[in-house]
Amino acid sequence: FVYDAPPGVAPAQADVRVLVRRSVAFVGVGAATAGQTRVGRSVRITAALGPAAPRTSVSLRLYRYNTVRRAWVYAGSRGRNSDAAGRVSTTWTPTSPGTYYWRAVVATTADYMGNVSPVYRWLVGR
């Protein structure tokens, strides 16, 4: 083993990059509550990022409970970029009754790790 550098002591500190998770959550809802609507009625779904940043990629994902399979089934997604206030929105008009949930997934950026929101549950009746 050959060491070609001059003798010395390594610095006591080194720069380390730490990525922090960006928060993402649905606006105006809590984990214990479920929204209620009827088939054919439009509802506005809004998620907020923290810290707020424009043009951050967010996927709003919808899942429906399949009573035959007794499992949650992916029902589609809507990709959005956040506005200057760090918010993304979509309008959803359910076409069939059932139990649904939305989840927001924020992408990783150069400064922040991605993250997944708590679910936003919906009960859709006739």
Side-chain angles (χ1 to χ4, degrees):
F1 176 79
V2 177
Y3 179 72
D4 288 332
V9 177
Q13 92 182 48
D15 291 341
V16 176
R17 183 173 174 155
V18 176
L19 291 178
V20 177
R21 286 195 185 277
R22 183 183 300 278
S23 68
V24 59
F26 289 99
V27 175
V29 298
T33 61
Q36 294 185 16
T37 190
R38 295 189 182 277
V39 170
R41 288 195 182 165
S42 296
V43 292
R44 188 93 168 146
I45 308 292
T46 303
L49 307 177
R55 296 183 307 279
T56 300
S57 179
V58 179
S59 176
L60 299 172
R61 298 179 183 176
L62 178 64
Y63 295 83
R64 184 175 193 277
Y65 188 74
N66 183 312
T67 55
V68 174
R69 292 171 43 186
R70 294 184 176 184
W72 290 98
V73 178
Y74 175 75
S77 66
R78 299 173 184 183
R80 299 286 187 268
N81 287 322
S82 62
D83 61 16
R87 292 181 178 231
V88 294
S89 295
T90 191
T91 301
W92 173 52
T93 307
T95 57
S96 60
T99 305
Y100 296 83
Y101 75 78
W102 283 92
R103 172 161 268 162
V105 179
V106 64
T108 298
T109 64
D111 297 320
Y112 294 96
M113 291 293 297
N115 205 355
V116 178
S117 74
V119 298
Y120 183 9
R121 295 178 299 131
W122 279 91
L123 303 174
V124 177
R126 290 207 181 271

